[in-house]
Amino acid sequence: PSVAVLPFANMSGDSEQEYFSDGLTEEIINALAQIPGLKVIARTSAFAFKGQNIDVRRIAETLGVAHVLEGSVRKSGNRVRMTAQLIAAADGSHLWSERYDAELADIFAVQDSTATAIAGALQLKLAVEPRKHTPALPAYEEFLRARHHLQRWSPESATKAMEYLRRAIELDPAFALARCELGWCLFILVTENQIPPGEGARLMSVEARAALGVDPSLADAHAVLAMAAVLDYEWQRADHAFELALSNPPVQPLVRCLYSVWHLAPMERMREAEAQMVRSLEEDPLNIYARVMFGAQLFASGKSLEGETAARQALELDPNLWLAYLWRGAHHATHARLAEACADLERAYALAPWNVCVIGLYAGVLAVSGDRPRAEA
């Protein structure tokens, strides 16, 4: 059994409410991911079809699922109306549909009811465990606003998301998931050279430990701790934290991707790194970050053709993906294809002039190519 949850349409007549319909979709994805034996496509891949009028059967074929859930959300004041339909991709028939009219305060019950009903329609059992902590509603809305920004993965969006998350935590200090998301914001700012790695690692650890104080089994918190250890080059500590993050299903595809890229590959455990990345892409096939980094690993393992294929697939999904141009340019450079390397790195630099990896590699290739003045600049 397999399902993709498409982004619920925002029917509120206010684009500012988009964060809420997106957030509700993501919460239902997370609830369905709790069902043993059900393959659930991750948010990144499901949201690749947002705003596109594409036949459900084609979407299902692209994502490799048998069922698609779609719906709409209308939020007005303290009231929410949600509709949802579960569709069998093979013939387009509706297996289940429902409309919920509820107070905003009951939104968590609506999410649980939807997941339980879908499990029943797929003839699967869902044991809805009591929530470790039900966040205060104002804090939850700030959390959804933050996630809306965080999906863009840039210095600006991470900084904006942090503002919302800090408000969420101020409103509800026991909101563990908000603390985990704040940890990911800090990690983004480290990777984009906005804050020093040591400082980022320290702040990430503070948030992750506070989250674990509320829910010791929270996989996201262990993953944040693992990445903080990586930033400190504490490889054994990172390994232990990743083991804890991966031992408590469901495991987010992003966690598998980070484990592969930031821990297994640097430790030269390339076969394990590749296996984790393959698993990540099975659950999140349109995740362009994972696909680019998989290509980088394949390049590093000497699998040039497979690496170039992965880079090309990522650029087909997003022609403006600077990371793909960076890694492909690096690959060209290591094989002394300097003209191709310069072309790719020039494109990467035009798209991400703030990234020091792009700047440094482009400067190096320009110098080797003989363009010393441009390299110095």
Side-chain angles (χ1 to χ4, degrees):
S2 50
V3 64
V5 184
L6 300 184
F8 279 33
N10 171 28
M11 305 297 287
S12 303
D14 178 5
S15 61
E16 292 296 314
Q17 295 296 328
E18 197 83 8
Y19 78 91
F20 188 81
S21 54
D22 285 356
L24 186 59
T25 307
E26 187 166 1
E27 290 293 321
I28 291 171
I29 290 172
N30 293 339
L32 290 173
Q34 309 290 328
I35 303 175
L38 178 63
K39 174 185 174 183
V40 183
I41 295 299
R43 178 199 196 280
T44 316
S45 293
F47 272 61
F49 298 97
K50 184 173 180 177
Q52 300 183 42
N53 188 20
I54 299 176
D55 184 77
V56 165
R57 283 166 289 193
R58 186 177 157 202
I59 293 173
E61 183 181 357
T62 302
L63 297 177
V65 294
H67 307 90
V68 172
L69 182 72
E70 59 181 12
S72 64
V73 182
R74 184 188 301 275
K75 179 172 174 281
S76 178
N78 290 322
R79 299 287 300 174
V80 178
R81 170 174 290 179
M82 188 187 89
T83 63
Q85 306 89 38
L86 182 67
I87 301 166
D91 56 9
S93 62
H94 284 215
L95 299 179
W96 168 87
S97 63
E98 188 61 85
R99 187 180 88 176
Y100 298 93
D101 286 290
E103 294 287 334
L104 192 57
D106 298 326
I107 194 64
F108 303 109
V110 170
Q111 292 167 8
D112 292 343
S113 296
T114 303
T116 302
I118 292 165
L122 296 175
Q123 298 182 328
L124 296 165
K125 290 184 179 180
L126 171 61
V128 179
E129 294 185 11
R131 294 173 186 268
K132 296 281 196 307
H133 174 73
T134 300
L137 197 57
Y140 181 66
E141 290 206 70
E142 295 294 314
F143 172 75
L144 294 184
R145 288 188 177 96
R147 272 196 167 169
H148 186 68
H149 286 281
L150 192 55
Q151 300 303 327
R152 299 190 181 99
W153 197 286
S154 72
E156 295 79 14
S157 62
T159 302
K160 189 70 177 173
M162 284 178 72
E163 295 174 15
Y164 289 118
L165 289 167
R166 285 189 170 126
R167 280 204 291 272
I169 294 165
E170 187 177 318
L171 290 164
D172 186 350
F175 194 174
L177 270 179
R179 292 187 180 277
C180 293
E181 293 292 301
L182 184 54
W184 293 130
C185 288
L186 290 161
F187 176 66
I188 291 172
L189 293 177
V190 169
T191 64
E192 302 305 337
N193 301 283
Q194 304 297 304
I195 58 176
E199 180 187 349
R202 181 181 62 80
L203 295 172
M204 288 166 66
S205 297
V206 167
E207 297 302 334
R209 290 196 178 100
L212 289 171
V214 177
D215 182 358
S217 65
L218 189 58
D220 270 21
H222 288 296
V224 172
L225 274 182
M227 292 307 299
V230 166
L231 294 177
D232 280 335
Y233 298 97
E234 293 281 353
W235 300 108
Q236 284 189 321
R237 187 156 54 91
D239 197 50
H240 177 65
F242 269 125
E243 276 185 20
L244 291 171
L246 294 165
S247 66
N248 191 20
V251 178
Q252 287 191 55
L254 177 62
V255 172
R256 294 190 186 280
C257 175
L258 294 173
Y259 180 42
S260 174
V261 172
W262 291 85
H263 185 67
L264 293 174
M267 293 290 96
E268 298 184 348
R269 294 159 61 182
M270 298 307 290
R271 188 173 297 173
E272 294 172 76
E274 188 170 325
Q276 287 290 339
M277 196 64 89
V278 167
R279 179 88 178 269
S280 175
L281 284 167
E282 282 174 358
E283 298 167 0
D284 198 359
L286 301 185
N287 188 314
I288 52 179
Y289 173 77
R291 199 158 289 281
V292 168
M293 297 313 295
F294 188 33
Q297 286 181 357
L298 291 166
F299 286 143
S301 299
K303 300 177 181 178
S304 295
L305 289 177
E306 295 97 322
E308 287 176 7
T309 299
R312 187 184 68 250
Q313 288 171 337
L315 287 170
E316 285 170 357
L317 292 168
D318 183 357
N320 292 318
L321 185 62
W322 63 268
L323 197 60
Y325 291 110
L326 169 67
W327 281 107
R328 195 171 68 177
H331 179 61
H332 286 318
T334 60
H335 288 79
R337 297 195 293 264
L338 297 182
E340 293 98 322
C342 270
D344 272 346
L345 294 168
E346 183 176 11
R347 180 77 171 133
Y349 179 63
L351 293 166
W354 34 262
N355 186 276
V356 296
C357 294
V358 171
I359 296 165
L361 188 56
Y362 187 28
V365 170
L366 285 167
V368 174
S369 301
D371 190 349
R372 197 78 194 179
R374 177 76 171 136
E376 293 288 351

